[in-house]
């Protein structure tokens, strides 16, 4: 049985595949040809069909899972392509293997019948949040470079990633920014609670950005945002007070999500201003709006729970240093340096890893 863990999310399906490297001669002889072919297909390619990708930079070699040594591979595809994914799996002979795949995320329920019908696979379903935390703790302790923070997040010349020693993690907040956002307070490996969340997440960013700019992918949206200026879209402190507003210690060009007088998109009621902004500006403003809102909710949660470290995960942060730096800055600034924003390299894959780890079939 190949070892798969799947997290079938609202936007992306994440598939982790554990390739055992310690196969004995007897095991190799007993292994059916189809299984060998599937292994070869997965590990020799980094693109599958039109929309499947293997994140080769995230691959983890020489790791141990359930007592076996091997390599962990990380693959993703849009959940909307599930039909094509199942057809591809079928064409590789998956249906001839008697298999159970461990799965989490809403899609584990939605697509359960399709898996059975198309590729004769049963899904062993695991809780999404349990999986997220298990996967995250496992990867963080296995990979010494997993956890990092951004130093000097507001200064492009000085800003860089710095490894963070997360060996004594508890307590921490875990903010999962996927299509929507979940915020968990984690006190121990099996001791956590979901304390908050928001429906304004990565899916909102992508949806609004496509509406406002006509772009068609997350990568395109992020690229546009990188070239834009949100201060041409938002209403700033200086637009209202005419300069720095010293009493609140706010620099004039700061869009402060937790300072209600300021508003995202506040200049867009003016036709003139609307005509003057570019797609890039609108993409940037959307990204900043969504990110600052998440930052603001997170800060309140941290304050309530009296927790000082916040780990941000989820695919919204994929290829998205703008949001990571904004979150790093927001945590630090609004807490006078007491809150620390941390990030993890395998940002969107922990749910999939976690359900693989929980499987003992
Ligand atoms: P979910 O489990 O809800 O699908 P993810 O953690 O996979 O959540 O994050 C989904 C979000 O990640 C999207 O809403 C989008 O903002 C962002 N994202 C990153 N890469 C992509 C991509 N290639 N395609 C679509 N969305 C992406």
């Amino acid at each position: 049985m190949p070892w798969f863990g799947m997290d079938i999310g609202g936007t992306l399906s994440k598939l982790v595949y554990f390739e055992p490297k310690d196969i004995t001669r007897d095991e190799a002889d007993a292994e059916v040809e189809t299984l060998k072919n599937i292994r070869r297909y997965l590990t020799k390619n980094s693109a599958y069909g039109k929309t499947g990708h293997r994140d080769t930079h995230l691959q983890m070699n020489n790791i141990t899972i359930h007592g076996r040594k091997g390599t962990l591979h990380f693959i993703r595809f849009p959940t909307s392509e599930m039909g094509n994914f199942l057809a591809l799996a079928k064409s590789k002979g998956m249906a001839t293997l008697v298999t159970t795949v461990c799965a989490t995320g809403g899609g584990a329920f939605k697509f359960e019948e399709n898996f059975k019908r198309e590729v004769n696979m049963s899904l062993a379903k695991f809780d999404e949040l349990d999986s997220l935390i298990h996967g995250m703790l496992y990867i963080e302790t296995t990979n010494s470079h997993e956890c990092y923070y951004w130093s000097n997040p507001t200064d492009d010349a000085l800003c860089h990633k710095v490894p963070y020693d997360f060996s004594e993690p508890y307590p921490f907040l875990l903010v999962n920014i996927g299509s929507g956002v979940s915020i968990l307070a984690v006190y121990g490996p099996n001791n956590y609670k979901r304390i908050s969340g928001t429906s304004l997440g990565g899916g909102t960013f992508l949806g609004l950005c496509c509406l406002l700019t006509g772009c068609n992918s997350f990568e395109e949206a992020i690229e546009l945002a990188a070239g834009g200026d949100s201060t041409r879209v938002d209403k700033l402190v200086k637009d209202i007070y005419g300069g720095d507003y010293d009493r609140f210690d706010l620099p004039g060009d700061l869009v402060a999500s937790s300072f209600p007088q300021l508003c995202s998109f506040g200049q867009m009621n003016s036709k003139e201003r609307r005509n003057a902004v570019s797609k890039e500006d609108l993409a940037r403003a959307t990204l900043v709006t969504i990110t600052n809102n998440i930052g603001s909710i997170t800060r309140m949660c941290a304050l309530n729970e009296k927790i000082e470290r916040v780990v941000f995960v989820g695919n919204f942060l994929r290829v998205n240093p703008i949001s990571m730096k904004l979150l790093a800055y927001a945590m630090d600034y609004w807490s006078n340096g007491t809150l620390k924003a941390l990030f993890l390299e395998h940002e969107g894959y922990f749910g999939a890893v976690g359900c693989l780890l929980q499987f003992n079939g």
Side-chain angles (χ1 to χ4, degrees):
M1 169 55 212
W3 290 6
F4 292 111
M6 271 195 106
D7 176 2
I8 311 174
T11 308
L12 291 175
S13 291
K14 284 73 65 177
L15 174 68
V16 297
Y17 167 55
F18 181 71
E19 177 195 8
K21 289 282 195 182
D22 56 358
I23 297 176
T24 62
R25 169 141 303 203
D26 285 352
E27 279 177 323
D29 289 346
E31 201 173 64
V32 292
E33 208 52 37
T34 314
L35 210 54
K36 289 180 187 146
N37 287 341
I38 289 171
R39 178 155 59 236
R40 218 168 294 133
Y41 174 69
L42 287 178
T43 59
K44 295 284 176 278
N45 295 291
S46 59
Y48 313 97
K50 286 203 178 81
T51 53
H53 294 278
R54 181 155 61 93
D55 284 315
T56 49
H57 66 287
L58 295 179
Q59 177 174 326
M60 292 173 77
N61 302 317
N62 264 326
I63 63 165
T64 305
I65 291 186
H66 296 322
R68 299 297 300 256
K69 274 212 170 335
T71 302
L72 202 54
H73 300 277
F74 298 85
I75 297 163
R76 64 186 150 84
F77 62 90
T79 301
S80 57
E81 295 289 321
M82 186 57 82
N84 288 331
F85 167 78
L86 291 174
L88 185 66
K90 192 173 185 175
S91 76
K92 299 290 166 195
M94 270 292 194
T96 65
L97 305 168
V98 180
T99 47
T100 300
V101 169
C102 27
T104 189
F109 295 86
K110 181 174 175 187
F111 296 108
E112 190 169 21
E113 282 300 309
N114 307 55
F115 270 80
K116 193 73 208 165
R117 197 174 53 238
E118 300 297 321
V119 283
N120 194 29
M121 273 185 188
S122 306
L123 299 185
K125 296 194 283 307
F126 294 93
D127 179 80
E128 202 168 328
L129 299 180
D130 285 348
S131 299
L132 174 68
I133 290 175
H134 272 96
M136 180 225 143
L137 293 174
Y138 172 80
I139 298 285
E140 203 288 317
T141 44
T142 307
N143 176 17
S144 54
H145 305 300
E146 185 66 28
C147 188
Y148 63 92
Y149 66 93
W150 290 92
S151 79
N152 306 98
T154 48
D155 185 335
D156 275 345
L158 289 177
C159 183
H160 61 286
K161 284 161 85 167
V162 184
Y164 184 82
D165 178 3
F166 201 52
S167 51
E168 289 191 15
Y170 309 109
F172 66 92
L173 280 193
L174 185 59
V175 181
N176 187 24
I177 318 178
S179 310
V181 183
S182 284
I183 303 182
L184 316 177
V186 187
Y187 298 98
N190 297 304
N191 181 10
Y192 72 87
K193 59 181 181 185
R194 185 180 190 279
I195 51 173
S196 189
T198 165
S199 61
L200 305 183
T204 319
F205 161 66
L206 188 51
L208 285 179
C209 210
C210 290
L211 271 177
L212 289 170
T213 71
C215 73
N216 280 305
S217 71
F218 180 76
E219 286 76 7
E220 209 185 322
I222 292 292
E223 211 176 295
L224 284 174
D229 177 0
S230 60
T231 66
R232 293 158 57 81
V233 177
D234 297 332
K235 196 155 265 182
L236 310 179
V237 172
K238 69 167 179 243
D239 295 326
I240 301 169
Y241 291 99
D244 284 3
Y245 188 44
D246 293 337
R247 206 172 124 216
F248 287 100
D249 196 22
L250 290 171
D253 60 353
L254 187 77
V255 184
S257 61
S258 46
F259 195 69
Q261 286 93 330
L262 310 177
C263 57
S264 300
F265 285 84
Q267 298 197 54
M268 294 298 91
N269 59 335
S270 142
K271 192 169 183 188
E272 246 166 53
R273 297 276 169 85
R274 278 201 301 279
N275 289 336
V277 294
S278 64
K279 282 182 181 184
E280 285 79 1
D281 297 335
L282 291 168
R284 180 67 160 239
T286 312
L287 190 63
V288 169
T289 299
I290 295 296
T291 305
N292 275 343
N293 185 54
I294 295 168
S296 167
I297 295 169
T298 301
R299 192 175 58 92
M300 288 188 277
C301 291
L303 214 62
N304 268 343
E305 294 293 320
K306 301 184 176 53
I307 290 179
E308 295 189 339
R309 283 174 306 175
V310 184
V311 182
F312 291 95
V313 297
N315 275 322
F316 174 65
L317 300 175
R318 227 194 103 242
V319 296
N320 185 5
I322 297 174
S323 291
M324 288 195 272
K325 291 175 192 178
L326 261 178
L327 289 168
Y329 172 71
M331 291 303 106
D332 185 71
Y333 183 86
W334 294 110
S335 71
N336 287 322
T338 56
L339 265 183
K340 187 138 199 92
L342 302 170
F343 302 92
L344 300 173
E345 296 288 355
H346 290 82
E347 55 222 352
Y349 281 106
F350 301 118
V353 173
C355 75
L356 175 65
L357 294 172
Q358 290 172 89
F359 185 64
N360 50 17

